[in-house]
Amino acid sequence: MRIILDIMSGDRAPLEMLKGAVEAKKEKYSEGVEYTLVGDESVIKKLAEENRLDISGFEIRHTEVVLDMHDDPMAVMKEKKDSSLGTGLRMLAGGEGDAFVSCGNTGALFCGSTLILKRVKGIQRAAIGAILPLTKPLMLMDSGASVKVNEDYLHLFGVMGSAYMKAIYGVECPRVAMINNGSEETKGGELQLLAYPKLMASKFINFIGNVEGNQLPFGYCDVALCDGFVGNIVLKTTEGMGRLMSAELKGMFKSGLGGILAYLLLKSQLKNFKKKFDSTEHGGAPILGITKTVIKAHGSSNAKAFKNAIRQAIQCERAGVVDIIAKEAAAYSEEKKRMAAEAQENSAE
Amino acid sequence: MRIILDIMSGDRAPLEMLKGAVEAKKEKYSEGVEYTLVGDESVIKKLAEENRLDISGFEIRHTEVVLDMHDDPMAVMKEKKDSSLGTGLRMLAGGEGDAFVSCGNTGALFCGSTLILKRVKGIQRAAIGAILPLTKPLMLMDSGASVKVNEDYLHLFGVMGSAYMKAIYGVECPRVAMINNGSEETKGGELQLLAYPKLMASKFINFIGNVEGNQLPFGYCDVALCDGFVGNIVLKTTEGMGRLMSAELKGMFKSGLGGILAYLLLKSQLKNFKKKFDSTEHGGAPILGITKTVIKAHGSSNAKAFKNAIRQAIQCERAGVVDIIAKEAAAYSEEKKRMAAEAQENSAE
């Protein structure tokens, strides 16, 4: 297996990405894994030397172009197709690797994944599945790629999210719920009203109904469905609330001698607390529904976050997430055909 | 001033509501305020006796009907028009009081407010403005009343929210932002794209652009605009995240002798922390854009929350929030007329 790494994208690139790659390569899960670093060769070599990082086992694919956060996503198809992000996706498409990890521009990575790697047959829209680090890991489908979706997309988001949670977290029969403004099936806007009966009738997901915002943090479901607009807001609001609470906690433990003493008393619990709600522990967000494994790591990733995103890419590859999704999508397409034929037969009778 | 209180609605009604009312009446802010309790007279008197609550200064309007959370909101206009919620609204409409506080069915209170009390002239849609207890109080407009809104509604939500934050919290020039999936004006769905230039051009609000979920907790704006679907999800997600964090904290301080010691060391800071993020401190959510002061208190309100919602109703009345909104709405209507006339003149030239 070969993992392709975008070393140049991200707020803390390239040094933190390089450190993360070197750390990941030392881990047991990297046995049998080869790595290609995409980026400026001289910069990578210089950084490695300065920071005493052993990059002898890495292959380097040289490119000086970087696609940044301010670039138009479509630049990955045109003026910045030779960027580290664009090059990585094209190498993957050309069979020069099995998975790609990047902290780059979300829109560009999503568009590039869809246009260069193509969608799995039967999947009408790919999605970004961020993992919320709550009481239990929760996959948010979609986390921000598509502002507007329809009820068919939502259903397939549920199918893909279930496949992921089963393969990576070992959840036997993932509970899928739709984010809504109430638990009743009559709640929501047009999308939710159309989607509810379809999701409920599906044989391909374990749909348990609507989920409200206050239930999300408490392990009510394993996959939460929504359009990318709501997904972005839920993802960022939980992130912001987590940050607010840590800031408040820090302030408390820094308040005088009592605070410092209390900190020392609770040190191990605080460490567990931090780890439990640390999104970097889960790696990045997989882009699901495309023909290869692509992991979007957070733009602000440090070495640890990037390292965990690499582990996640390897896990996805080993679990065969893309193949599982392809099989589910094919089975669903068959089911749709069968039902259409049945409906035609019935109307002919 | 007379405040009408719905004693029968809410998860913890009637006892907690009654306790809250009795406590509020003792406060300095109740000077010159008279109260009417709407509910079952014999139940109220019995509870007061059993709990030694002095209700001698309260007027009671008897009704045995209760409109609950499972009732259709429109029941307030029909089969449950004599409920404590419906009676309170009708008393207000008939001039038998100046403000109404209820923990009842949100939909019924909103529909009833709009249909019985009517909207302020120039306001096309009323809204519920929940206050999020974050770094700074933040008003979410709309918090859940209208799943579908248009750009004009959003603008007037901004006008009303600004009036409230200025009158009640003394914010001189409230910063209004639109909840969106990015900071750029090109972000969002159809609603956000239509609203952005309109909000930016308005003379009636201090629009500072888009706000993302991760900025909401940190005092980025005083009023956050969104449709009621997104509002409901943001409100409940922040609520859920707050609850998750307190549960985690509690667990930490209950973990062995070290935890208990740490708790004792941080007792006063923890109290401040709790108070700071306690939504009940702010009272309830005003229904803005109608001709009278109506406060929707949380369905799960205890005596303290109900008491604070009563204080909030008195503050709104004393600050003349309804009149301020009416003046702003009239000025905006004038401005619209002027601009329409100007446009016609220009096209005639």
Side-chain angles (χ1 to χ4, degrees):
Chain A
M1 183 196 312
R2 179 172 291 274
I3 309 287
I4 304 170
L5 303 175
D6 176 358
I7 292 297
M8 308 305 284
S9 301
D11 305 343
R12 302 165 87 168
L15 180 58
E16 289 294 311
M17 279 62 258
L18 196 57
K19 280 185 181 167
V22 169
E23 284 305 312
K25 196 168 179 298
K26 288 180 193 158
E27 295 286 343
K28 207 171 154 28
Y29 54 71
S30 282
E31 265 176 36
V33 177
E34 291 175 302
Y35 288 98
T36 301
L37 311 177
V38 186
D40 190 318
E41 187 159 7
S42 60
V43 171
I44 292 172
K45 286 189 168 159
K46 195 166 161 259
L47 275 178
E49 210 185 299
E50 283 170 7
N51 295 278
R52 296 186 187 184
L53 300 169
D54 175 16
I55 54 162
S56 56
F58 289 93
E59 198 182 282
I60 299 176
R61 173 66 59 99
H62 177 72
T63 172
E64 285 165 27
V65 186
V66 177
L67 188 153
D68 72 25
M69 294 300 170
H70 306 290
D71 282 313
D72 179 66
M74 286 307 287
V76 71
M77 303 308 292
K78 295 180 285 187
E79 66 271 29
K80 294 227 170 163
K81 69 182 195 313
D82 295 330
S83 59
S84 53
L85 195 158
T87 302
L89 287 174
R90 282 182 183 80
M91 286 175 69
L92 202 56
E96 294 180 75
D98 302 288
F100 180 50
V101 183
S102 173
C103 305
N105 182 315
T106 310
L109 195 60
F110 185 78
C111 289
S113 293
T114 298
L115 297 171
I116 299 166
L117 298 168
K118 313 289 182 197
R119 283 193 299 272
V120 163
K121 210 179 154 192
I123 299 289
Q124 299 153 287
R125 185 74 65 103
I128 301 182
I131 301 286
L132 300 184
L134 301 169
T135 309
K136 278 178 137 193
L138 167 72
M139 179 168 260
L140 196 60
M141 286 286 275
D142 169 42
S143 302
S146 304
V147 166
K148 211 173 154 63
V149 306
N150 68 29
E151 68 277 18
D152 274 323
Y153 298 179
L154 275 192
H155 174 243
L156 284 164
F157 291 175
V159 172
M160 296 193 284
S162 299
Y164 187 90
M165 293 309 281
K166 192 171 175 181
I168 303 299
Y169 289 95
V171 183
E172 205 33 67
C173 188
R175 294 155 306 154
V176 179
M178 175 164 64
I179 298 181
N180 208 336
N181 64 338
S183 57
E184 305 87 345
E185 61 181 281
T186 55
K187 286 285 180 174
E190 208 182 327
L191 172 67
Q192 290 74 27
L193 292 172
L194 284 169
Y196 195 99
K198 192 176 172 81
L199 296 169
M200 203 41 111
S202 170
K203 296 174 190 170
F204 293 85
I205 54 171
N206 171 25
F207 182 64
I208 59 166
N210 293 328
V211 58
E212 295 190 73
N214 51 350
Q215 299 170 311
L216 284 174
F218 298 97
Y220 183 83
C221 59
D222 304 298
V223 180
L225 304 179
C226 56
D227 63 49
F229 186 79
V230 168
N232 177 288
I233 289 162
V234 167
L235 177 65
K236 290 188 178 160
T237 302
T238 52
E239 200 181 297
M241 286 300 289
R243 214 175 285 164
L244 174 65
M245 293 299 158
S246 344
E248 289 290 326
L249 270 185
K250 262 188 199 158
M252 220 183 274
F253 288 114
K254 278 184 178 162
S255 56
L257 195 62
I260 294 166
L261 258 172
Y263 171 76
L264 293 172
L265 286 164
L266 291 177
K267 212 171 168 182
S268 72
Q269 284 100 316
L270 283 167
K271 213 175 149 184
N272 283 341
F273 173 81
K274 213 184 143 203
K275 198 177 157 112
K276 193 168 166 187
F277 297 108
D278 182 0
S279 64
T280 67
E281 290 286 337
H282 293 276
I287 299 183
L288 297 178
I290 51 170
T291 59
K292 294 274 178 174
T293 297
V294 174
I295 305 292
K296 157 74 181 115
H298 204 293
S300 66
S301 291
N302 58 12
K304 182 183 148 209
F306 197 61
K307 179 187 164 187
N308 284 331
I310 295 169
R311 185 201 62 210
Q312 189 185 15
I314 296 170
Q315 283 178 317
C316 279
E317 265 305 288
R318 292 212 170 115
V321 171
V322 168
D323 291 340
I324 298 170
I325 287 176
K327 263 186 211 151
E328 287 283 306
Y332 175 57
S333 294
E334 277 306 310
E335 168 85 4
K336 271 207 292 193
K337 267 189 221 159
R338 198 187 55 71
M339 278 168 69
E342 215 175 81
Q344 208 169 22
E345 233 169 73
N346 284 345
S347 73
E349 266 169 22
Chain B
M1 183 194 315
R2 179 172 292 276
I3 309 288
I4 305 169
L5 303 175
D6 176 358
I7 291 297
M8 308 307 283
S9 302
D11 305 343
R12 302 165 87 169
L15 180 58
E16 289 294 310
M17 279 60 259
L18 197 57
K19 280 185 182 167
V22 169
E23 284 304 312
K25 196 168 180 299
K26 288 180 193 160
E27 295 286 342
K28 209 173 152 25
Y29 54 70
S30 282
E31 263 176 37
V33 176
E34 292 175 301
Y35 288 98
T36 301
L37 310 177
V38 186
D40 190 317
E41 187 159 4
S42 60
V43 171
I44 292 172
K45 286 189 168 161
K46 194 166 162 259
L47 275 178
E49 209 184 300
E50 283 170 8
N51 295 276
R52 296 188 188 181
L53 300 168
D54 175 17
I55 55 162
S56 57
F58 289 92
E59 198 182 282
I60 299 175
R61 173 67 57 100
H62 177 72
T63 173
E64 285 165 28
V65 186
V66 178
L67 188 153
D68 72 23
M69 294 300 171
H70 306 291
D71 281 315
D72 179 64
M74 286 307 287
V76 72
M77 302 307 293
K78 294 179 286 188
E79 65 271 30
K80 294 227 171 163
K81 68 181 194 316
D82 296 330
S83 59
S84 52
L85 195 158
T87 303
L89 287 174
R90 282 182 182 82
M91 287 175 69
L92 203 56
E96 294 181 74
D98 302 288
F100 181 50
V101 183
S102 173
C103 305
N105 183 315
T106 310
L109 195 60
F110 185 78
C111 289
S113 294
T114 298
L115 297 172
I116 299 167
L117 298 169
K118 313 289 181 196
R119 283 193 299 272
V120 163
K121 210 180 154 191
I123 299 288
Q124 299 153 287
R125 185 74 66 102
I128 300 182
I131 301 286
L132 301 183
L134 301 169
T135 310
K136 278 178 139 193
L138 167 72
M139 179 168 260
L140 196 60
M141 285 285 276
D142 171 43
S143 302
S146 305
V147 166
K148 210 172 156 63
V149 306
N150 68 29
E151 68 277 18
D152 274 323
Y153 297 0
L154 275 191
H155 173 244
L156 284 165
F157 291 176
V159 172
M160 296 193 284
S162 299
Y164 187 90
M165 293 309 281
K166 194 172 174 181
I168 303 299
Y169 289 96
V171 183
E172 205 33 67
C173 188
R175 293 155 306 153
V176 179
M178 175 164 64
I179 298 181
N180 208 336
N181 64 339
S183 56
E184 305 88 344
E185 61 182 279
T186 55
K187 288 285 181 174
E190 208 181 326
L191 172 67
Q192 289 75 26
L193 292 172
L194 284 169
Y196 194 99
K198 191 175 174 81
L199 296 169
M200 203 41 110
S202 170
K203 297 173 190 171
F204 293 85
I205 53 171
N206 171 25
F207 183 64
I208 60 166
N210 293 328
V211 58
E212 294 190 74
N214 52 351
Q215 298 170 310
L216 284 175
F218 298 97
Y220 183 83
C221 59
D222 304 297
V223 180
L225 303 179
C226 56
D227 63 50
F229 185 80
V230 168
N232 176 288
I233 288 161
V234 167
L235 177 66
K236 290 189 177 158
T237 302
T238 52
E239 198 181 299
M241 287 299 288
R243 213 174 285 164
L244 174 66
M245 294 297 157
S246 344
E248 289 291 327
L249 270 184
K250 262 189 198 157
M252 221 184 272
F253 288 113
K254 278 186 178 161
S255 56
L257 195 62
I260 294 165
L261 259 172
Y263 170 75
L264 293 172
L265 285 164
L266 291 177
K267 210 170 171 183
S268 72
Q269 285 99 316
L270 283 167
K271 212 175 150 186
N272 283 341
F273 173 81
K274 212 184 144 204
K275 198 176 157 113
K276 193 168 166 185
F277 297 109
D278 183 359
S279 65
T280 66
E281 290 287 336
H282 293 276
I287 299 183
L288 298 178
I290 50 169
T291 59
K292 295 274 178 173
T293 296
V294 173
I295 305 293
K296 157 74 182 116
H298 203 293
S300 67
S301 290
N302 58 12
K304 182 183 149 209
F306 197 61
K307 179 187 164 186
N308 284 330
I310 296 170
R311 185 201 62 212
Q312 189 186 16
I314 296 170
Q315 284 179 317
C316 279
E317 265 305 287
R318 292 212 170 116
V321 171
V322 168
D323 291 340
I324 297 170
I325 287 175
K327 265 186 210 150
E328 287 283 305
Y332 175 58
S333 294
E334 278 306 310
E335 168 86 3
K336 271 208 292 194
K337 266 189 221 158
R338 198 188 54 72
M339 279 169 68
E342 215 175 80
Q344 207 169 22
E345 234 170 73
N346 284 345
S347 74
E349 266 170 21

